[in-house]
């Protein structure tokens, strides 16, 4: 199974601050995704990314969110001005040609 | 009606029992069906990935899809305490990559030694 790591494992931030969550695939993958899971709720799709472009995004992924792959390996999710309701686990996922998506361990974001 | 419905449990069974986990869905466009296992505060781990109706077996796990009833199941044989986790059903419309996955809410399973 492909491996992906995420940093940090836990991020605590003040409301209104910017955060950047990072995803590092161990092997070479083409497709990248971000999902989030608010405590006690289901895993929700945020965005998919391929060939340095967003392929699809959900309603959650508004102007406060952005993604990029700045150096060809790390895949980042930026939240420009965090809100209390952004507190959640954020999961990066990766896939190759077939849409079997493999998830990272997640970053727990706490907004105070 | 929710796109994907899953009984949240919790479900508690004795070690060695056969476990049956189920989901229903409303959107007939879903073609690919998955089961993920999630331990507390960890990322979802892909267990099974199936296409359309039918059965797929992998070790102690069997995934079953009935598209006519919009119903999918995961069976776990000879359940072990290490199988205790939350099981998420998931599905998407296309097997091509970059297609978003829609998840169920998860069923919490506990296997009693």
């Amino acid at each position: 199974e492909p491996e992906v790591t995420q940093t940090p494992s836990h991020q605590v931030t003040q409301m209104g601050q910017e955060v950047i969550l990072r995803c590092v695939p161990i092997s070479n993958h083409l497709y990248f995704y971000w999902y989030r899971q608010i405590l006690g709720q289901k895993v929700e799709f945020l965005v998919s990314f391929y060939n340095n472009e967003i392929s699809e995004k959900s309603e959650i992924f508004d102007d406060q969110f952005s993604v990029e792959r700045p150096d060809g390996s790390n895949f980042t999710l930026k939240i420009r001005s965090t809100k209390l309701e952004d507190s959640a686990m954020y999961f990066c996922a990766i896939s190759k040609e077939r849409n079997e998506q493999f998830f990272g361990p997640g970053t727990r974001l706490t907004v105070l | 009606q929710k796109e994907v419905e899953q009984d949240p449990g919790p479900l508690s069974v004795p070690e060695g029992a056969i476990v049956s986990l189920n989901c229903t869905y409303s959107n007939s466009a879903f073609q690919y069906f998955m089961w993920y296992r999630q331990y507390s505060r960890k990322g979802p781990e892909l267990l099974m990935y199936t296409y359309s109706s039918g059965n797929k077996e992998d070790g102690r796990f069997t995934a079953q899809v009935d598209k006519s009833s919009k119903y999918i199941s995961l069976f776990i044989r000879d359940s072990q305490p290490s199988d205790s986790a939350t099981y998420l059903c998931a599905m998407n419309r296309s097997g091509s990559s970059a297609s978003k996955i829609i998840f169920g809410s998860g069923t919490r399973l506990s296997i009693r030694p």
Side-chain angles (χ1 to χ4, degrees), chain A residues 33 37 96-97 99 101 108, chain B residues 36 38 92 97-99:
Chain A
Y33 314 79
Q37 186 176 31
K96 284 186 174 174
E97 292 79 17
N99 197 16
Q101 294 182 24
R108 182 154 65 106
Chain B
Y36 284 84
Q38 187 177 29
N92 61 8
S97 291
S99 175

Side-chain angles (χ1 to χ4, degrees), chain A residues 2-21:
Chain A
E3 288 185 15
V4 55
T5 61
Q6 290 185 241
T7 59
S9 57
H10 187 196
Q11 173 87 51
V12 181
T13 190
Q14 295 290 326
M15 191 170 56
Q17 295 296 304
E18 174 183 286
V19 295
I20 297 176
L21 311 182

Side-chain angles (χ1 to χ4, degrees), chain B residues 80-96:
Chain B
Q80 306 293 311
S82 58
D83 295 329
S84 297
T86 297
Y87 288 79
L88 312 174
C89 65
M91 49 201 76
N92 61 8
R93 294 175 181 80
S94 169
S96 65

Side-chain angles (χ1 to χ4, degrees), chain A residues 2 9 13-14 24-25 27-29 33 37 41 43 59-60 68-72 79 84 86 92-93 96 104 110 112:
Chain A
S9 57
T13 190
Q14 295 290 326
V24 184
S27 53
N28 199 17
H29 284 74
Y33 314 79
Q37 186 176 31
Q41 297 187 24
V43 178
E59 292 173 354
I60 303 167
E68 63 176 0
R69 201 171 173 218
D71 56 7
I79 309 175
L84 294 176
D86 294 328
C92 169
K96 284 186 174 174
T110 302
L112 303 176

Side-chain angles (χ1 to χ4, degrees), chain B residues 1-5 23-30 33 67 69-71 91 93:
Chain B
Q1 186 182 12
K2 291 181 183 175
E3 272 196 298
V4 181
E5 302 243 25
C23 282
T24 59
Y25 62 95
S26 58
N27 191 336
S28 57
F30 288 134
F33 304 91
K67 288 192 70 184
S69 303
K70 297 191 182 68
Y71 189 86
M91 49 201 76
R93 294 175 181 80

